Amino acid sequence: MFLSALLVALLAIVSQWWFFAPATRTMTYPLTTGLLVGIFMGQPMLGMLAGAQIQLVYLGWINTGGVMPSNTMVAGIFGTALTILSGANPKLAVTFAVPFSLIGLLMVNAYETINSFWVHRADAALERGNVKAIRFWNYVPSFFTAAVLYGIPAFCMVMFGQGWAKSLLKAIPKDLTTALEVVGAIMPAMGIAMLLNYLGKKSLMPYFFIGFFLTAYLNLQTMAIAIFAGLLAYLIFLNDSKKGQKVEAAAPKKKVRRLTLENRTGKVAEVTPAAPQNASDLNAVEPTIEYKNKLTHKDLVKTWLWEQSDEVCYNYERMQALGLTNMMIEPIRKLYPNDEKRQAEELKKYMVFFNTEPHMIGPVIHGVALSMEEARANGAAISAEDINGVRTGLMGPAAGIGDTVQQGILFPILASIGCSMALEKNYFGPIFFTVVFLVIIYAIGYWLFMYGYKTGRKSVLDILKTGILDKVTKAFSIVGLMVVGTMAATKVAVKCPIVWHVGQSTVKVQALLNQLAPCLLPLGITMLVWYLLRKKVNATWIIIGIFVLGIICSYAGILGLA
């Protein structure tokens, strides 16, 4: 048990201490951590089933701007561990996980508050010209903070909790256990409704109902719906692109003057000033310069790898600042060799507040910053304020696009498929989700990082202006809504067991509902939760309401497990 407790504790630590994103990114999701907890505790099947049940509740919990509505890391790891310790039915995992997720909010608040202290220690180190200390303040104190807040509680629960966990389960009456299973069957409606609240534009909502009724009437599997939705979205994307090309062709062309700067290859590259002070600045031509200090492809790859720990010391005061300063150490050393004081001075510009989607779209900003940093080191008239002005200007658009595509569309599509496989006792479900999700995110992130470096901010802004990303987002939203419709039809697994006896005939309420439309009750519950979210009812109160009403309706015989 000691080894199991130690491994679960380490998993709990890295679920918050994001030391290398490709290894830790999916540790925030119960679908992945549930299987790992199960393996560590010798119950892989139970762990996977519990993790999948918990994940369904959090399909729509999207963390944006550093705001975490619920701690899914704690919910997945602690909820799964308690399910295994007690030997409970996986359907009860949700009732264990939700309280842990709310307690976990205090843990993440403490973690991000304490990390603010290490940022000030890093400031002091740069003032002394000590560049090496940045690595220490980024990684070491934040690890021990995560160990105390996450690791020790997880270790103690697994090491010493089996006895009281089983006693707790035995103390719950059978009727209450059944009622809690009903609550667990209703809870996926919360995650689905949150996704609808995030993606559900009026023009796109019909795709949710298409996915729902395709599954309800034809019993199509999630993968089949995803393939069908993908082909449909592709056709719509092509049609929108053709319309956009016609509009663009009809629009008059505008001539734009740009500054020029000889780039790394000796060719003339375009450089757009951040904010021209007067009209004469537009007519200025930057003198040709020769790049004496250049960044190689190897340097760029190293920088991209260091960027994967930009949230290891994530904190409320400056968010990703310390991690990005840590990322820039290698290129700054290369551009300003043998001058540690100058290196420290250049790194100071990155110790300001910065927060964006870090791994899929956000890397393009760091590529652009590297390009400007290289030009600055070789004599170009680029100030520290220019670099930070560009970073700040791109921060918002990258966050909006990245969070929407990654958390609001890509994740629920893949997680829905993975959960469906996992609940059918297929180990490939969590593996499929984890591998495909990571490959897509980091392949796009790497490409955009290199693209930003090679083309600079001008090309990035041009992409944003073309509207191509809006069309791509719409296409992915269609796929996401249809897949979510499938989940509403299959994972909100409740029925109405009421039977009326009229004379010698028997009327089953569920049969009447099925005659109107299959899965009508799950759809109604999902729509009700979505309505409450749209009315700005706090998600925590909705969860409490699901617990209370689920238990009452179970005892009253109004709701039962499908």
Side-chain angles (χ1 to χ4, degrees):
M1 188 58 73
F2 175 82
L3 181 59
S4 295
L6 181 62
L7 291 173
V8 172
L10 288 174
L11 180 63
I13 291 171
V14 300
S15 73
Q16 178 64 78
W17 186 65
W18 301 324
F19 70 96
F20 186 65
T24 61
R25 180 66 184 88
T26 54
M27 299 308 166
T28 62
Y29 297 125
L31 181 58
T32 300
T33 56
L35 177 59
L36 292 175
V37 170
I39 292 172
F40 296 159
M41 298 182 68
Q43 295 279 354
M45 180 58 69
L46 181 54
M48 179 182 70
L49 293 174
Q53 292 284 358
I54 296 168
Q55 185 65 80
L56 291 175
V57 180
Y58 297 104
L59 277 178
W61 294 77
I62 297 169
N63 304 327
T64 57
V67 178
M68 182 176 287
S70 191
N71 195 325
T72 58
M73 299 96 74
V74 171
I77 295 171
F78 285 68
T80 300
L82 188 55
T83 303
I84 294 173
L85 287 171
S86 63
N89 188 313
K91 293 178 181 179
L92 285 176
V94 171
T95 62
F96 296 147
V98 170
F100 277 122
S101 72
L102 298 178
I103 295 172
L105 287 177
L106 299 177
M107 298 162 70
V108 74
N109 288 341
Y111 180 78
E112 295 183 13
T113 299
I114 294 171
N115 280 346
S116 299
F117 292 100
W118 319 137
V119 175
H120 291 285
R121 302 308 301 164
D123 284 334
L126 288 179
E127 287 294 335
R128 297 192 302 270
N130 187 357
V131 173
K132 295 179 182 178
I134 296 299
R135 296 260 195 260
F136 174 85
W137 291 114
N138 189 50
Y139 292 101
V140 179
S142 57
F143 169 80
F144 285 106
T145 304
V148 171
L149 294 173
Y150 288 78
I152 292 177
F155 179 87
C156 292
M157 186 178 73
V158 176
M159 188 70 187
F160 308 111
Q162 188 167 27
W164 65 261
K166 289 185 175 180
S167 299
L168 175 65
L169 187 64
K170 289 179 181 179
I172 300 176
K174 185 177 180 180
D175 288 344
L176 181 57
T177 300
T178 301
L180 291 175
E181 289 178 354
V182 170
V183 171
I186 298 173
M187 275 296 180
M190 184 68 197
I192 294 167
M194 292 193 76
L195 277 173
L196 292 179
N197 201 42
Y198 193 73
L199 300 174
K201 297 179 180 179
K202 289 183 179 179
S203 60
L204 299 179
M205 274 304 295
Y207 295 104
F208 167 79
F209 292 103
I210 291 172
F212 179 88
F213 287 112
L214 281 175
T215 301
Y217 281 102
L218 302 179
N219 293 320
L220 294 180
Q221 295 181 346
T222 307
M223 183 64 80
I225 295 293
I227 293 171
F228 175 75
L231 294 173
L232 178 62
Y234 178 67
L235 293 175
I236 293 172
F237 171 78
L238 290 180
N239 184 58
D240 288 346
S241 298
K242 288 179 181 179
K243 290 180 179 178
Q245 289 173 359
K246 290 179 181 179
V247 172
E248 185 178 349
K253 301 291 184 181
K254 292 183 179 181
K255 294 183 179 180
V256 180
R257 293 179 177 178
R258 301 181 181 90
L259 301 185
T260 59
L261 175 69
E262 188 174 10
N263 67 12
R264 309 160 199 72
T265 61
K267 297 179 181 179
V268 174
E270 296 176 350
V271 177
T272 308
Q277 299 300 314
N278 51 60
S280 63
D281 290 343
L282 292 173
N283 298 319
V285 177
E286 189 76 26
T288 301
I289 62 171
E290 180 181 355
Y291 275 65
K292 296 180 180 179
N293 296 323
K294 301 179 182 179
L295 297 174
T296 65
H297 181 72
K298 185 177 180 180
D299 296 326
L300 296 176
V301 172
K302 283 183 178 179
T303 305
W304 178 76
L305 290 172
W306 281 112
E307 191 262 335
Q308 305 312 314
S309 60
D310 63 345
E311 291 187 317
V312 66
C313 193
Y314 198 75
N315 61 89
Y316 283 128
E317 185 175 327
R318 299 188 218 172
M319 300 294 183
Q320 300 164 355
L322 182 53
L324 294 177
T325 305
N326 177 72
M327 173 194 76
M328 290 300 298
I329 289 176
E330 293 299 324
I332 290 295
R333 281 175 171 169
K334 181 69 177 288
L335 295 173
Y336 302 97
N338 305 317
D339 190 350
E340 192 160 329
K341 287 187 177 181
R342 178 65 186 276
Q343 293 168 8
E345 194 64 32
E346 294 297 331
L347 286 172
K348 286 180 182 179
K349 73 172 80 72
Y350 295 95
M351 286 295 294
V352 298
F353 177 93
F354 190 90
N355 192 45
T356 193
E357 185 282 313
H359 304 128
M360 187 175 180
I361 305 299
V364 71
I365 302 175
H366 312 316
V368 172
L370 273 178
S371 179
M372 298 178 71
E373 196 72 69
E374 186 180 45
R376 170 179 164 84
N378 285 279
I382 297 176
S383 67
E385 290 74 18
D386 291 333
I387 295 175
N388 271 338
V390 171
R391 294 172 71 234
T392 303
L394 293 175
M395 184 172 71
I401 297 166
D403 287 335
T404 299
V405 174
Q406 184 187 142
Q407 297 187 63
I409 300 173
L410 183 62
F411 161 69
I413 293 172
L414 296 176
S416 297
I417 296 171
C419 284
S420 297
M421 292 181 179
L423 292 174
E424 293 173 359
K425 299 185 177 181
N426 186 345
Y427 285 116
F428 185 65
I431 296 171
F432 165 83
F433 161 72
T434 302
V435 173
V436 175
F437 187 65
L438 292 177
V439 167
I440 292 176
I441 288 175
Y442 294 104
I444 294 174
Y446 176 82
W447 181 81
L448 282 176
F449 180 87
M450 296 300 178
Y451 177 84
Y453 170 76
K454 292 176 182 177
T455 61
R457 57 183 161 169
K458 170 64 176 58
S459 297
V460 174
L461 291 172
D462 281 348
I463 288 178
L464 294 174
K465 291 176 182 177
T466 60
I468 186 67
L469 292 175
D470 291 334
K471 298 181 181 69
V472 172
T473 300
K474 178 183 176 182
F476 273 108
S477 296
I478 290 170
V479 179
L481 285 168
M482 290 185 68
V483 170
V484 169
T486 301
M487 301 303 290
T490 57
K491 303 310 177 189
V492 185
V494 290
K495 66 179 181 180
C496 181
I498 295 176
V499 177
W500 291 325
H501 297 282
V502 181
Q504 295 182 347
S505 64
T506 301
V507 179
K508 296 182 179 180
V509 173
Q510 186 61 51
L512 289 176
L513 293 174
N514 290 340
Q515 288 178 359
L516 294 173
C519 305
L520 193 59
L521 184 58
L523 179 62
I525 292 173
T526 302
M527 292 295 100
L528 174 61
V529 177
W530 182 42
Y531 172 80
L532 293 174
L533 288 172
R534 287 175 64 87
K535 291 297 181 180
K536 308 299 182 183
V537 178
N538 187 281
T540 301
W541 286 112
I542 297 176
I543 288 176
I544 294 172
I546 290 174
F547 266 93
V548 174
L549 291 177
I551 292 172
I552 292 174
C553 289
S554 177
Y555 271 99
I558 299 173
L559 291 178
L561 292 173

